[in-house]
Amino acid sequence: MDKSTVVAVLESIATLLELKGENPFKSRAYRTAARAVDSLTEELSDLIAQGRLSEIKGIGESIKEKIVTLITTGHLPYYEELKKEFPPTLLELLNVPGLGPKRAKFLYEELGITDIEALEKACKEHRIAGLPGFGPKSEENILLGINQYRSFSAYHRYGDVIETVEALLDYLKKILPLFISI
């Protein structure tokens, strides 16, 4: 399991904890650990084998155990249980600019909104504007955010693809001399 997968799982746990309404310090601890893992220059498996994962600032004992489980088994029961508490499409709502975990949770609890299509329909039917903390401008911004999300969903973030691109370039550099000599 690679570092980026561990980072993604830790970030997802933090988000799920926010959706669940857990203590904000707990979700912040997972985000801090995700940043710490992301900034590592050494291999996670090496740090685990050497028993040095606890030395990394931002990784406490509980999260360390979860990282070790994730690396050694390839899955994390704690994460799987958290994911079961919400519809999988609910996390998709968090991709809409301006819609964070608290607002997504509120819309889920108040209107049963679990996906982007339901969110868009609720905005167009003006069911969101009447909710506490929302208004007509909120509906307008959510609809703009949905359009923005849809228009950019085909694009990929640089950080998500750079490793793949670099691996492809390395491969091409290795095989290019074979074609030139023909």
Side-chain angles (χ1 to χ4, degrees):
M1 178 162 300
D2 65 345
K3 177 173 78 168
S4 61
T5 303
V6 173
V7 169
V9 168
L10 293 173
E11 286 285 348
S12 292
I13 289 172
T15 300
L16 289 166
L17 290 172
E18 287 179 39
L19 284 172
K20 192 175 174 181
E22 285 280 343
N23 184 332
F25 294 108
K26 192 172 183 179
S27 60
R28 193 173 308 135
Y30 279 93
R31 291 204 195 284
T32 300
R35 282 192 305 275
V37 169
D38 195 35
S39 67
L40 290 175
T41 55
E42 295 178 70
E43 290 292 322
L44 265 174
S45 54
D46 292 343
L47 290 169
I48 291 168
Q50 297 165 5
R52 296 180 31 232
L53 193 57
S54 298
E55 297 172 9
I56 307 301
K57 185 177 179 177
I59 299 178
E61 189 61 34
S62 175
I63 294 176
K64 179 195 90 164
E65 290 172 10
K66 288 176 177 68
I67 292 171
V68 170
T69 301
L70 188 57
I71 292 287
T72 56
T73 68
H75 72 281
L76 184 59
Y78 177 71
Y79 176 51
E80 300 304 321
E81 289 301 314
L82 274 175
K83 286 195 307 187
K84 288 179 186 176
E85 294 184 33
F86 299 98
T89 54
L90 184 64
L91 294 176
E92 185 184 20
L93 293 179
L94 302 177
N95 293 320
V96 175
L99 196 63
K102 287 180 184 175
R103 289 185 131 206
K105 178 184 178 192
F106 184 76
L107 292 171
Y108 170 63
E109 290 173 345
E110 293 295 315
L111 300 176
I113 294 174
T114 60
D115 58 33
I116 290 182
E117 287 72 26
L119 177 64
E120 183 176 37
K121 183 178 178 187
C123 284
K124 288 179 177 178
E125 293 172 353
H126 305 292
R127 290 186 287 136
I128 292 177
L131 295 173
F134 291 88
K137 190 69 176 167
S138 297
E139 282 181 338
E140 184 181 321
N141 288 336
I142 290 171
L143 286 171
L144 287 172
I146 291 170
N147 288 334
Q148 184 181 5
Y149 167 69
R150 286 183 176 150
S151 66
F152 290 108
S153 63
Y155 294 98
H156 299 282
R157 289 186 359 211
Y158 177 81
D160 293 339
V161 297
I162 188 62
E163 288 180 27
T164 305
V165 171
E166 287 174 346
L168 180 60
L169 285 174
D170 289 343
Y171 174 75
L172 290 173
K173 287 176 187 175
K174 288 177 187 172
I175 67 164
L176 188 61
L178 296 173
F179 292 105
I180 292 175
S181 64
I182 294 177

